[in-house]
PDB file of all heavy atoms in Angstrom:
ATOM      1  N   ALA A   1     138.096 -82.374 -85.878  1.00  0.00           N
ATOM      2  CA  ALA A   1     139.417 -82.764 -86.312  1.00  0.00           C
ATOM      3  C   ALA A   1     139.341 -83.685 -87.523  1.00  0.00           C
ATOM      4  O   ALA A   1     140.381 -83.992 -88.099  1.00  0.00           O
ATOM      5  CB  ALA A   1     140.165 -83.469 -85.192  1.00  0.00           C
ATOM      6  N   GLY A   2     138.135 -84.112 -87.914  1.00  0.00           N
ATOM      7  CA  GLY A   2     138.014 -84.992 -89.042  1.00  0.00           C
ATOM      8  C   GLY A   2     138.158 -86.445 -88.749  1.00  0.00           C
ATOM      9  O   GLY A   2     138.331 -87.263 -89.676  1.00  0.00           O
ATOM     10  N   TRP A   3     138.180 -86.777 -87.468  1.00  0.00           N
ATOM     11  CA  TRP A   3     138.304 -88.200 -87.059  1.00  0.00           C
ATOM     12  C   TRP A   3     136.876 -88.781 -86.991  1.00  0.00           C
ATOM     13  O   TRP A   3     136.289 -88.959 -85.920  1.00  0.00           O
ATOM     14  CB  TRP A   3     139.003 -88.331 -85.713  1.00  0.00           C
ATOM     15  CG  TRP A   3     140.328 -87.687 -85.705  1.00  0.00           C
ATOM     16  CD1 TRP A   3     141.246 -87.660 -86.748  1.00  0.00           C
ATOM     17  CD2 TRP A   3     140.990 -86.942 -84.668  1.00  0.00           C
ATOM     18  NE1 TRP A   3     142.382 -86.936 -86.424  1.00  0.00           N
ATOM     19  CE2 TRP A   3     142.248 -86.494 -85.170  1.00  0.00           C
ATOM     20  CE3 TRP A   3     140.598 -86.600 -83.345  1.00  0.00           C
ATOM     21  CZ2 TRP A   3     143.147 -85.748 -84.379  1.00  0.00           C
ATOM     22  CZ3 TRP A   3     141.488 -85.855 -82.615  1.00  0.00           C
ATOM     23  CH2 TRP A   3     142.735 -85.462 -83.088  1.00  0.00           C
ATOM     24  N   ILE A   4     136.347 -89.036 -88.154  1.00  0.00           N
ATOM     25  CA  ILE A   4     134.896 -89.404 -88.277  1.00  0.00           C
ATOM     26  C   ILE A   4     134.576 -90.690 -87.558  1.00  0.00           C
ATOM     27  O   ILE A   4     133.538 -90.780 -86.853  1.00  0.00           O
ATOM     28  CB  ILE A   4     134.503 -89.458 -89.745  1.00  0.00           C
ATOM     29  CG1 ILE A   4     134.989 -88.211 -90.491  1.00  0.00           C
ATOM     30  CG2 ILE A   4     132.990 -89.634 -89.854  1.00  0.00           C
ATOM     31  CD1 ILE A   4     134.549 -86.924 -89.865  1.00  0.00           C
ATOM     32  N   ASP A   5     135.396 -91.720 -87.724  1.00  0.00           N
ATOM     33  CA  ASP A   5     135.102 -93.030 -87.088  1.00  0.00           C
ATOM     34  C   ASP A   5     135.057 -92.873 -85.546  1.00  0.00           C
ATOM     35  O   ASP A   5     134.171 -93.448 -84.904  1.00  0.00           O
ATOM     36  CB  ASP A   5     136.144 -94.064 -87.471  1.00  0.00           C
ATOM     37  CG  ASP A   5     136.066 -94.466 -88.953  1.00  0.00           C
ATOM     38  OD1 ASP A   5     134.995 -94.228 -89.547  1.00  0.00           O
ATOM     39  OD2 ASP A   5     137.019 -94.996 -89.465  1.00  0.00           O
ATOM     40  N   ARG A   6     136.007 -92.133 -85.001  1.00  0.00           N
ATOM     41  CA  ARG A   6     136.000 -91.904 -83.574  1.00  0.00           C
ATOM     42  C   ARG A   6     134.791 -91.154 -83.126  1.00  0.00           C
ATOM     43  O   ARG A   6     134.164 -91.449 -82.111  1.00  0.00           O
ATOM     44  CB  ARG A   6     137.273 -91.236 -83.126  1.00  0.00           C
ATOM     45  CG  ARG A   6     138.547 -92.026 -83.305  1.00  0.00           C
ATOM     46  CD  ARG A   6     139.775 -91.378 -82.700  1.00  0.00           C
ATOM     47  NE  ARG A   6     139.737 -91.364 -81.239  1.00  0.00           N
ATOM     48  CZ  ARG A   6     140.706 -90.926 -80.465  1.00  0.00           C
ATOM     49  NH1 ARG A   6     141.819 -90.424 -81.068  1.00  0.00           N
ATOM     50  NH2 ARG A   6     140.620 -90.944 -79.157  1.00  0.00           N
ATOM     51  N   SER A   7     134.439 -90.102 -83.880  1.00  0.00           N
ATOM     52  CA  SER A   7     133.313 -89.303 -83.517  1.00  0.00           C
ATOM     53  C   SER A   7     132.031 -90.094 -83.535  1.00  0.00           C
ATOM     54  O   SER A   7     131.192 -89.991 -82.641  1.00  0.00           O
ATOM     55  CB  SER A   7     133.165 -88.120 -84.539  1.00  0.00           C
ATOM     56  OG  SER A   7     132.197 -87.222 -84.096  1.00  0.00           O
ATOM     57  N   MET A   8     131.868 -90.938 -84.568  1.00  0.00           N
ATOM     58  CA  MET A   8     130.672 -91.805 -84.603  1.00  0.00           C
ATOM     59  C   MET A   8     130.655 -92.822 -83.467  1.00  0.00           C
ATOM     60  O   MET A   8     129.601 -93.158 -82.954  1.00  0.00           O
ATOM     61  CB  MET A   8     130.591 -92.495 -85.955  1.00  0.00           C
ATOM     62  CG  MET A   8     130.266 -91.577 -87.160  1.00  0.00           C
ATOM     63  SD  MET A   8     128.615 -90.855 -87.004  1.00  0.00           S
ATOM     64  CE  MET A   8     127.594 -92.269 -87.384  1.00  0.00           C
ATOM     65  N   ALA A   9     131.816 -93.332 -83.096  1.00  0.00           N
ATOM     66  CA  ALA A   9     131.873 -94.283 -81.971  1.00  0.00           C
ATOM     67  C   ALA A   9     131.474 -93.617 -80.665  1.00  0.00           C
ATOM     68  O   ALA A   9     130.705 -94.159 -79.884  1.00  0.00           O
ATOM     69  CB  ALA A   9     133.292 -94.814 -81.828  1.00  0.00           C
ATOM     70  N   TYR A  10     131.921 -92.370 -80.471  1.00  0.00           N
ATOM     71  CA  TYR A  10     131.476 -91.640 -79.272  1.00  0.00           C
ATOM     72  C   TYR A  10     129.956 -91.379 -79.322  1.00  0.00           C
ATOM     73  O   TYR A  10     129.266 -91.495 -78.308  1.00  0.00           O
ATOM     74  CB  TYR A  10     132.206 -90.291 -79.184  1.00  0.00           C
ATOM     75  CG  TYR A  10     133.715 -90.438 -78.894  1.00  0.00           C
ATOM     76  CD1 TYR A  10     134.632 -89.734 -79.638  1.00  0.00           C
ATOM     77  CD2 TYR A  10     134.125 -91.170 -77.790  1.00  0.00           C
ATOM     78  CE1 TYR A  10     136.017 -89.808 -79.346  1.00  0.00           C
ATOM     79  CE2 TYR A  10     135.495 -91.257 -77.495  1.00  0.00           C
ATOM     80  CZ  TYR A  10     136.449 -90.615 -78.298  1.00  0.00           C
ATOM     81  OH  TYR A  10     137.768 -90.695 -77.998  1.00  0.00           O
ATOM     82  N   ALA A  11     129.463 -90.991 -80.468  1.00  0.00           N
ATOM     83  CA  ALA A  11     128.013 -90.705 -80.618  1.00  0.00           C
ATOM     84  C   ALA A  11     127.211 -91.976 -80.345  1.00  0.00           C
ATOM     85  O   ALA A  11     126.154 -91.895 -79.721  1.00  0.00           O
ATOM     86  CB  ALA A  11     127.719 -90.189 -82.044  1.00  0.00           C
ATOM     87  N   ASN A  12     127.705 -93.094 -80.800  1.00  0.00           N
ATOM     88  CA  ASN A  12     127.019 -94.414 -80.560  1.00  0.00           C
ATOM     89  C   ASN A  12     126.951 -94.662 -79.067  1.00  0.00           C
ATOM     90  O   ASN A  12     125.894 -95.073 -78.559  1.00  0.00           O
ATOM     91  CB  ASN A  12     127.703 -95.513 -81.337  1.00  0.00           C
ATOM     92  CG  ASN A  12     126.881 -96.765 -81.408  1.00  0.00           C
ATOM     93  OD1 ASN A  12     126.623 -97.353 -80.347  1.00  0.00           O
ATOM     94  ND2 ASN A  12     126.513 -97.163 -82.585  1.00  0.00           N
ATOM     95  N   ARG A  13     128.058 -94.466 -78.400  1.00  0.00           N
ATOM     96  CA  ARG A  13     128.092 -94.742 -76.936  1.00  0.00           C
ATOM     97  C   ARG A  13     127.131 -93.826 -76.216  1.00  0.00           C
ATOM     98  O   ARG A  13     126.437 -94.227 -75.306  1.00  0.00           O
ATOM     99  CB  ARG A  13     129.484 -94.592 -76.392  1.00  0.00           C
ATOM    100  CG  ARG A  13     130.478 -95.671 -76.859  1.00  0.00           C
ATOM    101  CD  ARG A  13     131.774 -95.585 -76.048  1.00  0.00           C
ATOM    102  NE  ARG A  13     132.773 -96.548 -76.530  1.00  0.00           N
ATOM    103  CZ  ARG A  13     133.719 -96.264 -77.391  1.00  0.00           C
ATOM    104  NH1 ARG A  13     133.883 -95.023 -77.829  1.00  0.00           N
ATOM    105  NH2 ARG A  13     134.561 -97.194 -77.794  1.00  0.00           N
ATOM    106  N   TYR A  14     127.134 -92.532 -76.627  1.00  0.00           N
ATOM    107  CA  TYR A  14     126.254 -91.595 -75.957  1.00  0.00           C
ATOM    108  C   TYR A  14     124.784 -91.976 -76.157  1.00  0.00           C
ATOM    109  O   TYR A  14     123.979 -91.947 -75.234  1.00  0.00           O
ATOM    110  CB  TYR A  14     126.508 -90.183 -76.486  1.00  0.00           C
ATOM    111  CG  TYR A  14     125.807 -89.099 -75.659  1.00  0.00           C
ATOM    112  CD1 TYR A  14     126.495 -88.349 -74.720  1.00  0.00           C
ATOM    113  CD2 TYR A  14     124.461 -88.815 -75.799  1.00  0.00           C
ATOM    114  CE1 TYR A  14     125.894 -87.409 -73.954  1.00  0.00           C
ATOM    115  CE2 TYR A  14     123.798 -87.890 -75.039  1.00  0.00           C
ATOM    116  CZ  TYR A  14     124.557 -87.181 -74.082  1.00  0.00           C
ATOM    117  OH  TYR A  14     123.927 -86.222 -73.314  1.00  0.00           O
ATOM    118  N   ALA A  15     124.437 -92.354 -77.402  1.00  0.00           N
ATOM    119  CA  ALA A  15     123.049 -92.664 -77.699  1.00  0.00           C
ATOM    120  C   ALA A  15     122.592 -93.892 -76.946  1.00  0.00           C
ATOM    121  O   ALA A  15     121.433 -94.004 -76.544  1.00  0.00           O
ATOM    122  CB  ALA A  15     122.900 -92.886 -79.198  1.00  0.00           C
ATOM    123  N   ARG A  16     123.489 -94.783 -76.674  1.00  0.00           N
ATOM    124  CA  ARG A  16     123.134 -96.017 -75.919  1.00  0.00           C
ATOM    125  C   ARG A  16     122.904 -95.711 -74.459  1.00  0.00           C
ATOM    126  O   ARG A  16     122.127 -96.403 -73.814  1.00  0.00           O
ATOM    127  CB  ARG A  16     124.261 -97.072 -76.039  1.00  0.00           C
ATOM    128  CG  ARG A  16     124.369 -97.694 -77.397  1.00  0.00           C
ATOM    129  CD  ARG A  16     125.664 -98.583 -77.476  1.00  0.00           C
ATOM    130  NE  ARG A  16     125.776 -99.201 -78.763  1.00  0.00           N
ATOM    131  CZ  ARG A  16     125.305-100.400 -79.079  1.00  0.00           C
ATOM    132  NH1 ARG A  16     124.610-101.066 -78.229  1.00  0.00           N
ATOM    133  NH2 ARG A  16     125.519-100.878 -80.288  1.00  0.00           N
ATOM    134  N   ARG A  17     123.521 -94.695 -73.923  1.00  0.00           N
ATOM    135  CA  ARG A  17     123.531 -94.501 -72.470  1.00  0.00           C
ATOM    136  C   ARG A  17     122.805 -93.266 -71.954  1.00  0.00           C
ATOM    137  O   ARG A  17     122.257 -93.301 -70.871  1.00  0.00           O
ATOM    138  CB  ARG A  17     124.985 -94.485 -71.977  1.00  0.00           C
ATOM    139  CG  ARG A  17     125.773 -95.722 -72.307  1.00  0.00           C
ATOM    140  CD  ARG A  17     127.216 -95.625 -71.868  1.00  0.00           C
ATOM    141  NE  ARG A  17     128.022 -96.700 -72.357  1.00  0.00           N
ATOM    142  CZ  ARG A  17     129.332 -96.895 -72.105  1.00  0.00           C
ATOM    143  NH1 ARG A  17     129.915 -96.035 -71.306  1.00  0.00           N
ATOM    144  NH2 ARG A  17     129.972 -97.926 -72.600  1.00  0.00           N
ATOM    145  N   TYR A  18     122.882 -92.161 -72.703  1.00  0.00           N
ATOM    146  CA  TYR A  18     122.529 -90.873 -72.100  1.00  0.00           C
ATOM    147  C   TYR A  18     121.455 -90.095 -72.864  1.00  0.00           C
ATOM    148  O   TYR A  18     121.439 -88.857 -72.728  1.00  0.00           O
ATOM    149  CB  TYR A  18     123.758 -90.023 -71.911  1.00  0.00           C
ATOM    150  CG  TYR A  18     124.742 -90.663 -70.966  1.00  0.00           C
ATOM    151  CD1 TYR A  18     125.960 -91.168 -71.404  1.00  0.00           C
ATOM    152  CD2 TYR A  18     124.509 -90.746 -69.589  1.00  0.00           C
ATOM    153  CE1 TYR A  18     126.873 -91.755 -70.547  1.00  0.00           C
ATOM    154  CE2 TYR A  18     125.405 -91.276 -68.721  1.00  0.00           C
ATOM    155  CZ  TYR A  18     126.587 -91.773 -69.220  1.00  0.00           C
ATOM    156  OH  TYR A  18     127.471 -92.396 -68.351  1.00  0.00           O
ATOM    157  N   LEU A  19     120.613 -90.761 -73.619  1.00  0.00           N
ATOM    158  CA  LEU A  19     119.592 -89.986 -74.368  1.00  0.00           C
ATOM    159  C   LEU A  19     118.593 -89.310 -73.460  1.00  0.00           C
ATOM    160  O   LEU A  19     117.907 -88.400 -73.913  1.00  0.00           O
ATOM    161  CB  LEU A  19     118.884 -90.906 -75.364  1.00  0.00           C
ATOM    162  CG  LEU A  19     119.668 -91.267 -76.639  1.00  0.00           C
ATOM    163  CD1 LEU A  19     118.844 -92.160 -77.504  1.00  0.00           C
ATOM    164  CD2 LEU A  19     120.079 -89.969 -77.396  1.00  0.00           C
ATOM    165  N   ARG A  20     118.477 -89.746 -72.227  1.00  0.00           N
ATOM    166  CA  ARG A  20     117.545 -89.121 -71.316  1.00  0.00           C
ATOM    167  C   ARG A  20     118.206 -88.054 -70.440  1.00  0.00           C
ATOM    168  O   ARG A  20     117.586 -87.510 -69.500  1.00  0.00           O
ATOM    169  CB  ARG A  20     116.894 -90.180 -70.416  1.00  0.00           C
ATOM    170  CG  ARG A  20     116.026 -91.168 -71.180  1.00  0.00           C
ATOM    171  CD  ARG A  20     115.265 -92.077 -70.289  1.00  0.00           C
ATOM    172  NE  ARG A  20     114.327 -91.356 -69.459  1.00  0.00           N
ATOM    173  CZ  ARG A  20     113.130 -90.944 -69.865  1.00  0.00           C
ATOM    174  NH1 ARG A  20     112.686 -91.248 -71.089  1.00  0.00           N
ATOM    175  NH2 ARG A  20     112.325 -90.271 -69.089  1.00  0.00           N
ATOM    176  N   SER A  21     119.445 -87.719 -70.692  1.00  0.00           N
ATOM    177  CA  SER A  21     120.144 -86.642 -69.993  1.00  0.00           C
ATOM    178  C   SER A  21     119.572 -85.319 -70.335  1.00  0.00           C
ATOM    179  O   SER A  21     119.105 -85.076 -71.500  1.00  0.00           O
ATOM    180  CB  SER A  21     121.626 -86.666 -70.372  1.00  0.00           C
ATOM    181  OG  SER A  21     122.248 -85.458 -69.966  1.00  0.00           O
ATOM    182  N   PRO A  22     119.517 -84.366 -69.408  1.00  0.00           N
ATOM    183  CA  PRO A  22     119.041 -83.001 -69.743  1.00  0.00           C
ATOM    184  C   PRO A  22     119.973 -82.306 -70.763  1.00  0.00           C
ATOM    185  O   PRO A  22     119.557 -81.283 -71.300  1.00  0.00           O
ATOM    186  CB  PRO A  22     119.042 -82.264 -68.400  1.00  0.00           C
ATOM    187  CG  PRO A  22     119.987 -83.050 -67.536  1.00  0.00           C
ATOM    188  CD  PRO A  22     119.902 -84.448 -67.973  1.00  0.00           C
ATOM    189  N   TYR A  23     121.193 -82.844 -70.968  1.00  0.00           N
ATOM    190  CA  TYR A  23     122.057 -82.272 -71.966  1.00  0.00           C
ATOM    191  C   TYR A  23     122.006 -82.969 -73.290  1.00  0.00           C
ATOM    192  O   TYR A  23     122.795 -82.705 -74.213  1.00  0.00           O
ATOM    193  CB  TYR A  23     123.508 -82.350 -71.425  1.00  0.00           C
ATOM    194  CG  TYR A  23     123.710 -81.784 -70.067  1.00  0.00           C
ATOM    195  CD1 TYR A  23     123.968 -82.613 -68.974  1.00  0.00           C
ATOM    196  CD2 TYR A  23     123.611 -80.392 -69.828  1.00  0.00           C
ATOM    197  CE1 TYR A  23     124.180 -82.113 -67.715  1.00  0.00           C
ATOM    198  CE2 TYR A  23     123.773 -79.898 -68.572  1.00  0.00           C
ATOM    199  CZ  TYR A  23     124.049 -80.730 -67.488  1.00  0.00           C
ATOM    200  OH  TYR A  23     124.225 -80.223 -66.239  1.00  0.00           O
ATOM    201  N   ALA A  24     121.021 -83.896 -73.490  1.00  0.00           N
ATOM    202  CA  ALA A  24     120.926 -84.672 -74.720  1.00  0.00           C
ATOM    203  C   ALA A  24     120.589 -83.779 -75.911  1.00  0.00           C
ATOM    204  O   ALA A  24     120.900 -84.147 -77.075  1.00  0.00           O
ATOM    205  CB  ALA A  24     119.874 -85.753 -74.571  1.00  0.00           C
ATOM    206  N   SER A  25     119.961 -82.616 -75.673  1.00  0.00           N
ATOM    207  CA  SER A  25     119.680 -81.718 -76.789  1.00  0.00           C
ATOM    208  C   SER A  25     120.986 -81.215 -77.395  1.00  0.00           C
ATOM    209  O   SER A  25     121.065 -80.989 -78.643  1.00  0.00           O
ATOM    210  CB  SER A  25     118.831 -80.539 -76.291  1.00  0.00           C
ATOM    211  OG  SER A  25     118.559 -79.638 -77.334  1.00  0.00           O
ATOM    212  N   GLN A  26     121.965 -80.976 -76.614  1.00  0.00           N
ATOM    213  CA  GLN A  26     123.297 -80.586 -77.133  1.00  0.00           C
ATOM    214  C   GLN A  26     123.895 -81.706 -77.958  1.00  0.00           C
ATOM    215  O   GLN A  26     124.544 -81.510 -78.991  1.00  0.00           O
ATOM    216  CB  GLN A  26     124.239 -80.187 -75.999  1.00  0.00           C
ATOM    217  CG  GLN A  26     123.838 -78.863 -75.311  1.00  0.00           C
ATOM    218  CD  GLN A  26     124.856 -78.463 -74.274  1.00  0.00           C
ATOM    219  OE1 GLN A  26     125.966 -79.007 -74.202  1.00  0.00           O
ATOM    220  NE2 GLN A  26     124.507 -77.469 -73.443  1.00  0.00           N
ATOM    221  N   PHE A  27     123.742 -82.975 -77.487  1.00  0.00           N
ATOM    222  CA  PHE A  27     124.185 -84.098 -78.251  1.00  0.00           C
ATOM    223  C   PHE A  27     123.513 -84.143 -79.637  1.00  0.00           C
ATOM    224  O   PHE A  27     124.157 -84.395 -80.651  1.00  0.00           O
ATOM    225  CB  PHE A  27     123.907 -85.389 -77.503  1.00  0.00           C
ATOM    226  CG  PHE A  27     123.934 -86.614 -78.384  1.00  0.00           C
ATOM    227  CD1 PHE A  27     125.145 -87.070 -78.914  1.00  0.00           C
ATOM    228  CD2 PHE A  27     122.762 -87.260 -78.724  1.00  0.00           C
ATOM    229  CE1 PHE A  27     125.156 -88.195 -79.765  1.00  0.00           C
ATOM    230  CE2 PHE A  27     122.736 -88.382 -79.557  1.00  0.00           C
ATOM    231  CZ  PHE A  27     123.969 -88.831 -80.073  1.00  0.00           C
ATOM    232  N   ALA A  28     122.224 -83.873 -79.638  1.00  0.00           N
ATOM    233  CA  ALA A  28     121.441 -83.864 -80.918  1.00  0.00           C
ATOM    234  C   ALA A  28     122.063 -82.806 -81.849  1.00  0.00           C
ATOM    235  O   ALA A  28     122.259 -83.082 -83.068  1.00  0.00           O
ATOM    236  CB  ALA A  28     119.999 -83.616 -80.632  1.00  0.00           C
ATOM    237  N   ASP A  29     122.348 -81.619 -81.379  1.00  0.00           N
ATOM    238  CA  ASP A  29     122.926 -80.589 -82.233  1.00  0.00           C
ATOM    239  C   ASP A  29     124.294 -80.995 -82.754  1.00  0.00           C
ATOM    240  O   ASP A  29     124.581 -80.788 -83.929  1.00  0.00           O
ATOM    241  CB  ASP A  29     123.109 -79.321 -81.400  1.00  0.00           C
ATOM    242  CG  ASP A  29     121.804 -78.583 -81.113  1.00  0.00           C
ATOM    243  OD1 ASP A  29     120.848 -78.795 -81.874  1.00  0.00           O
ATOM    244  OD2 ASP A  29     121.727 -77.867 -80.095  1.00  0.00           O
ATOM    245  N   LEU A  30     125.080 -81.649 -81.896  1.00  0.00           N
ATOM    246  CA  LEU A  30     126.437 -82.090 -82.352  1.00  0.00           C
ATOM    247  C   LEU A  30     126.342 -83.201 -83.359  1.00  0.00           C
ATOM    248  O   LEU A  30     127.092 -83.231 -84.334  1.00  0.00           O
ATOM    249  CB  LEU A  30     127.229 -82.565 -81.131  1.00  0.00           C
ATOM    250  CG  LEU A  30     127.639 -81.453 -80.122  1.00  0.00           C
ATOM    251  CD1 LEU A  30     128.227 -82.098 -78.849  1.00  0.00           C
ATOM    252  CD2 LEU A  30     128.640 -80.513 -80.761  1.00  0.00           C
ATOM    253  N   PHE A  31     125.393 -84.133 -83.146  1.00  0.00           N
ATOM    254  CA  PHE A  31     125.213 -85.249 -84.076  1.00  0.00           C
ATOM    255  C   PHE A  31     124.726 -84.742 -85.419  1.00  0.00           C
ATOM    256  O   PHE A  31     125.173 -85.233 -86.469  1.00  0.00           O
ATOM    257  CB  PHE A  31     124.296 -86.306 -83.480  1.00  0.00           C
ATOM    258  CG  PHE A  31     124.053 -87.433 -84.395  1.00  0.00           C
ATOM    259  CD1 PHE A  31     125.096 -88.315 -84.690  1.00  0.00           C
ATOM    260  CD2 PHE A  31     122.811 -87.646 -84.972  1.00  0.00           C
ATOM    261  CE1 PHE A  31     124.925 -89.401 -85.536  1.00  0.00           C
ATOM    262  CE2 PHE A  31     122.630 -88.743 -85.809  1.00  0.00           C
ATOM    263  CZ  PHE A  31     123.640 -89.596 -86.091  1.00  0.00           C
ATOM    264  N   VAL A  32     123.779 -83.826 -85.411  1.00  0.00           N
ATOM    265  CA  VAL A  32     123.264 -83.261 -86.667  1.00  0.00           C
ATOM    266  C   VAL A  32     124.371 -82.577 -87.422  1.00  0.00           C
ATOM    267  O   VAL A  32     124.544 -82.784 -88.660  1.00  0.00           O
ATOM    268  CB  VAL A  32     122.140 -82.263 -86.365  1.00  0.00           C
ATOM    269  CG1 VAL A  32     121.808 -81.443 -87.601  1.00  0.00           C
ATOM    270  CG2 VAL A  32     120.877 -83.035 -85.922  1.00  0.00           C
ATOM    271  N   LYS A  33     125.213 -81.787 -86.737  1.00  0.00           N
ATOM    272  CA  LYS A  33     126.329 -81.124 -87.422  1.00  0.00           C
ATOM    273  C   LYS A  33     127.332 -82.123 -87.939  1.00  0.00           C
ATOM    274  O   LYS A  33     127.872 -81.978 -89.069  1.00  0.00           O
ATOM    275  CB  LYS A  33     127.020 -80.164 -86.433  1.00  0.00           C
ATOM    276  CG  LYS A  33     128.075 -79.303 -87.102  1.00  0.00           C
ATOM    277  CD  LYS A  33     128.608 -78.284 -86.117  1.00  0.00           C
ATOM    278  CE  LYS A  33     129.546 -77.299 -86.833  1.00  0.00           C
ATOM    279  NZ  LYS A  33     130.778 -77.978 -87.433  1.00  0.00           N
ATOM    280  N   LEU A  34     127.600 -83.202 -87.176  1.00  0.00           N
ATOM    281  CA  LEU A  34     128.481 -84.257 -87.613  1.00  0.00           C
ATOM    282  C   LEU A  34     127.962 -84.886 -88.916  1.00  0.00           C
ATOM    283  O   LEU A  34     128.719 -85.090 -89.873  1.00  0.00           O
ATOM    284  CB  LEU A  34     128.608 -85.302 -86.508  1.00  0.00           C
ATOM    285  CG  LEU A  34     129.294 -86.651 -86.883  1.00  0.00           C
ATOM    286  CD1 LEU A  34     130.696 -86.426 -87.309  1.00  0.00           C
ATOM    287  CD2 LEU A  34     129.214 -87.616 -85.703  1.00  0.00           C
ATOM    288  N   ALA A  35     126.670 -85.190 -88.911  1.00  0.00           N
ATOM    289  CA  ALA A  35     126.067 -85.870 -90.098  1.00  0.00           C
ATOM    290  C   ALA A  35     126.093 -84.957 -91.318  1.00  0.00           C
ATOM    291  O   ALA A  35     126.350 -85.385 -92.443  1.00  0.00           O
ATOM    292  CB  ALA A  35     124.634 -86.295 -89.783  1.00  0.00           C
ATOM    293  N   VAL A  36     125.800 -83.658 -91.135  1.00  0.00           N
ATOM    294  CA  VAL A  36     125.758 -82.731 -92.217  1.00  0.00           C
ATOM    295  C   VAL A  36     127.145 -82.432 -92.761  1.00  0.00           C
ATOM    296  O   VAL A  36     127.416 -82.444 -93.989  1.00  0.00           O
ATOM    297  CB  VAL A  36     125.033 -81.403 -91.828  1.00  0.00           C
ATOM    298  CG1 VAL A  36     125.163 -80.373 -92.946  1.00  0.00           C
ATOM    299  CG2 VAL A  36     123.580 -81.706 -91.512  1.00  0.00           C
ATOM    300  N   ASP A  37     128.098 -82.186 -91.868  1.00  0.00           N
ATOM    301  CA  ASP A  37     129.469 -81.795 -92.292  1.00  0.00           C
ATOM    302  C   ASP A  37     130.169 -82.972 -92.987  1.00  0.00           C
ATOM    303  O   ASP A  37     130.985 -82.725 -93.861  1.00  0.00           O
ATOM    304  CB  ASP A  37     130.304 -81.353 -91.084  1.00  0.00           C
ATOM    305  CG  ASP A  37     129.869 -80.000 -90.582  1.00  0.00           C
ATOM    306  OD1 ASP A  37     129.059 -79.345 -91.243  1.00  0.00           O
ATOM    307  OD2 ASP A  37     130.358 -79.606 -89.494  1.00  0.00           O
ATOM    308  N   HIS A  38     129.884 -84.210 -92.569  1.00  0.00           N
ATOM    309  CA  HIS A  38     130.656 -85.334 -93.075  1.00  0.00           C
ATOM    310  C   HIS A  38     129.742 -86.379 -93.725  1.00  0.00           C
ATOM    311  O   HIS A  38     130.115 -87.579 -93.714  1.00  0.00           O
ATOM    312  CB  HIS A  38     131.471 -85.983 -91.915  1.00  0.00           C
ATOM    313  CG  HIS A  38     132.339 -84.999 -91.179  1.00  0.00           C
ATOM    314  ND1 HIS A  38     133.491 -84.495 -91.749  1.00  0.00           N
ATOM    315  CD2 HIS A  38     132.212 -84.410 -89.986  1.00  0.00           C
ATOM    316  CE1 HIS A  38     134.081 -83.694 -90.894  1.00  0.00           C
ATOM    317  NE2 HIS A  38     133.313 -83.583 -89.789  1.00  0.00           N
ATOM    318  N   PHE A  39     128.655 -85.918 -94.322  1.00  0.00           N
ATOM    319  CA  PHE A  39     127.707 -86.883 -94.894  1.00  0.00           C
ATOM    320  C   PHE A  39     128.354 -87.785 -95.948  1.00  0.00           C
ATOM    321  O   PHE A  39     128.072 -89.001 -96.024  1.00  0.00           O
ATOM    322  CB  PHE A  39     126.513 -86.127 -95.479  1.00  0.00           C
ATOM    323  CG  PHE A  39     125.545 -86.995 -96.137  1.00  0.00           C
ATOM    324  CD1 PHE A  39     124.775 -87.918 -95.422  1.00  0.00           C
ATOM    325  CD2 PHE A  39     125.280 -86.899 -97.538  1.00  0.00           C
ATOM    326  CE1 PHE A  39     123.864 -88.734 -96.036  1.00  0.00           C
ATOM    327  CE2 PHE A  39     124.349 -87.723 -98.151  1.00  0.00           C
ATOM    328  CZ  PHE A  39     123.647 -88.620 -97.381  1.00  0.00           C
TER     329      PHE A  39
END
């Protein structure tokens, strides 16, 4: 949606809490796309 600040805030919370989740690889894909699309 282009709400970059909110997206980064969610990514920050996820990285603080759930990097050891089995779904963290999906987070990595989403974060990479976020960084590339809105660099």
Side-chain angles (χ1 to χ4, degrees):
W3 304 324
I4 310 306
D5 290 342
R6 294 186 70 174
S7 188
M8 289 295 288
Y10 291 131
N12 192 296
R13 291 190 184 100
Y14 191 100
R16 289 173 181 270
R17 302 178 189 181
Y18 296 109
L19 283 180
R20 296 187 63 82
S21 165
Y23 308 110
S25 178
Q26 290 184 12
F27 161 71
D29 287 335
L30 292 170
F31 179 66
V32 166
K33 188 175 187 297
L34 167 63
V36 173
D37 288 351
H38 305 287
F39 177 65

